[in-house]
Amino acid sequence: MAFSSSSGGSESRFAAYVEALGAALGHADRVAPARSYCAGLLLPGERKSIEPMAARVEPGRVQAAHQSLHHLVAKADWSDAAVLAVVRSRVLPAIQQHGPIQAWIVDDTGFPKKGTHSVGVARQYCGQLGKQDNCQVAVSLSVANEHASLPVAWRLYLPQVWAEDAARRSKAGVPADLRFTTKPQIALEQIRAAQADGIPPGTVLADAGYGVDTDFRDGITALGLAYVVGIQSSASLWPPAQAPLPVKPWSGRGRPPTRVGRSAEHKPVSAKDLAAGLPKDAWRRLTWRQGTNTPLASRFAALRVRPAHRDYNAATPRPEEWLLIEWPVGEAEPTKFWLSTLPANTSRIRLVRHAMLRWRIERDYQEMKQEIGLGHYEGRGWRGFHHHATLCIAAYGFLIAERAAIPPSAEPDTPPIQAPDIPRTYRPRGAADPA
């Protein structure tokens, strides 16, 4: 297969990039279909499912190309983790040319689906739709700095109704040893694996869907990492300079007391109530980065608090953390709350910039869905779902590396790959005969 491109440099770099994935794919004969698959993901087109991509990359032999791409993604037994490791090794250095890694961003994204047979499909919250609906949800971990971000881990969330259904699991090829795991538990597994792989560390960022989970926050701390995570306004906190009542002295009878306490007069408050009681001078307008049209700015307060969730079961108070609160001008009340274990001497603007760096994952998802076709896979199995996502990340990683090599003042380059012309006689399967 030959691709034409007026940008020979990008074309040769793309070929070398996919060639480097070859060892991780397991067999040399998988390199050519992998190159075709990644090329199909990068080429323009409304659908990035297998048949339309086959028609774009090999219009003269669509059926054979379709079979080759389908086998690579749905059938071939290669390691997603190994391919993602190669992608990291080639893309992270390009990102780090613009500064060190600052953050590890945890998030999940949904893919609306009809029916019940695609692996992991259930009625659950779908961020893409903004409501509960039939969808698949995947958890990811990305590494980021101010310049760019790259997903380094990806796993489908398997709802409990699927995890406990042996027949559906078997039909979809779900690994036999996989058990029901919550999204925060999946994210912690991904963070542990990233540490074990020696990925440059960063502050862990996550929204309130993860930040409300005390075990998730404790797990990050146990790994020696700092976090800035969203919490709900109802989160229970000890105000500045306050803590639970100390363990009561032993009276000499019964078991000695071992837990801190609280009383009707001495108890924690919600993050919302704490924010409402702050004086006017606690709020400061801060700008954290330049937006598309205007600088992005809002009002923030930052104070040292102690999380209080079920601390009446603990022997000692929880350590102090930062509580960061956003209250935009014109809003009736604060809109966002974060907890952070960044050091006590961290400036307010640094807290804000870390919290707001999470926008990078939203951009990743947007580009990978709209430009790369992350949600276009039409198969139903566990292996195909993850193989497609891995190759989408590989294609996206190539784009990131290409962008990182272009100076900001440079003229826009031609696309790294240009599609051959599709024969006028080509007709997708199932399409009506124009005659």
Side-chain angles (χ1 to χ4, degrees):
M1 175 189 65
F3 292 99
S4 63
S5 173
S6 59
S7 177
S10 290
E11 178 69 18
S12 61
R13 288 192 296 272
F14 176 73
Y17 179 82
V18 178
E19 191 71 28
L21 302 179
L25 290 170
H27 292 285
D29 57 5
R30 292 175 184 163
V31 174
R35 184 170 186 266
S36 295
Y37 203 95
C38 289
L41 295 170
L42 291 168
L43 290 171
E46 292 185 8
R47 290 295 298 174
K48 303 294 178 76
S49 53
I50 292 176
E51 186 183 5
M53 290 198 300
R56 290 186 202 107
V57 298
E58 300 204 44
R61 50 191 298 273
V62 177
Q63 185 175 358
H66 180 279
Q67 292 175 349
S68 175
L69 299 185
H70 179 266
H71 178 80
L72 173 74
V73 171
K75 304 294 183 183
D77 184 13
W78 47 269
S79 167
D80 294 289
V83 171
L84 290 177
V86 176
V87 173
R88 287 198 311 270
S89 70
R90 297 186 69 90
V91 179
L92 285 188
I95 294 177
Q96 290 173 290
Q97 287 178 2
H98 298 265
I101 296 300
Q102 296 172 291
W104 288 6
I105 309 175
V106 168
D107 207 351
D108 56 71
T109 190
F111 305 93
K113 285 284 185 178
K114 303 293 184 182
T116 59
H117 299 292
S118 293
V119 63
V121 166
R123 188 169 182 82
Q124 54 192 320
Y125 181 77
C126 179
Q128 183 173 324
L129 301 176
K131 63 179 182 179
Q132 294 266 339
D133 211 332
N134 236 38
C135 66
Q136 296 167 305
V137 175
V139 179
S140 69
L141 175 66
S142 291
V143 296
N145 59 19
E146 293 286 351
H147 177 78
S149 56
L150 175 73
V152 296
W154 176 270
R155 202 189 107 180
L156 179 70
Y157 165 70
L158 200 65
Q160 198 157 2
V161 292
W162 263 88
E164 296 173 352
D165 190 329
R168 281 207 295 181
R169 287 173 58 110
S170 177
K171 189 172 182 179
V174 176
D177 60 347
L178 195 75
R179 297 294 176 260
F180 173 72
T181 312
T182 67
K183 295 171 193 173
Q185 288 170 339
I186 293 172
L188 272 177
E189 290 176 7
Q190 292 175 333
I191 292 169
R192 292 189 190 101
Q195 272 195 322
D197 289 340
I199 295 176
T203 301
V204 177
L205 312 181
D207 65 16
Y210 295 84
V212 297
D213 190 309
T214 303
D215 290 340
F216 174 71
R217 301 199 312 269
D218 289 347
I220 295 171
T221 300
L223 293 172
L225 297 171
Y227 60 72
V228 181
V229 296
I231 57 170
Q232 295 175 339
S233 63
S234 58
S236 180
L237 306 169
W238 291 101
Q242 292 190 30
L245 296 171
V247 178
K248 292 181 179 180
W250 184 38
S251 65
R253 297 191 306 176
R255 291 184 177 179
T258 59
R259 298 173 181 175
V260 297
R262 55 184 72 173
S263 68
E265 297 77 27
H266 187 82
K267 58 185 178 181
V269 299
S270 70
K272 181 179 180 180
D273 289 343
L274 185 54
L278 293 176
K280 187 176 181 179
D281 62 5
W283 303 93
R284 186 181 304 168
R285 179 178 171 83
L286 295 173
T287 300
W288 62 90
R289 69 177 176 87
Q290 179 65 41
T292 304
N293 299 314
T294 60
L296 300 180
S298 188
R299 292 192 309 167
F300 297 90
L303 54 155
R304 301 289 286 172
V305 301
R306 295 180 192 270
H309 179 67
R310 295 184 179 177
D311 62 357
Y312 45 75
N313 291 325
T316 58
R318 286 185 168 273
E320 285 189 339
E321 300 183 21
W322 282 108
L323 172 65
L324 179 66
I325 313 165
E326 181 184 6
W327 191 344
V329 174
E331 294 290 341
E333 59 186 21
T335 57
K336 292 181 181 178
F337 302 80
W338 296 265
L339 280 175
S340 173
T341 53
L342 286 170
N345 62 355
T346 303
S347 65
R348 189 176 334 196
I349 185 59
R350 187 180 171 210
L351 286 170
V352 171
R353 285 174 176 163
H354 269 86
M356 296 304 181
L357 189 56
R358 209 186 69 81
W359 75 276
R360 277 280 170 199
I361 191 65
E362 303 296 340
R363 180 167 178 173
D364 282 347
Y365 285 154
Q366 182 181 30
E367 287 201 83
M368 290 179 68
K369 286 184 175 183
Q370 294 181 1
E371 306 297 332
I372 306 295
L374 180 63
H376 293 181
Y377 183 65
E378 296 176 350
R380 294 176 172 178
W382 176 273
R383 176 175 290 171
F385 179 90
H386 289 88
H387 279 3
H388 172 76
T390 294
L391 293 175
C392 284
I393 292 170
Y396 185 56
F398 177 73
L399 286 183
I400 292 171
E402 287 291 286
R403 291 169 184 167
I406 300 173
S409 60
E411 291 294 324
D413 201 358
T414 56
I417 294 178
Q418 294 180 316
D421 294 331
I422 298 177
R424 299 179 65 181
T425 56
Y426 168 71
R427 196 167 66 252
R429 291 180 302 168
D433 190 336

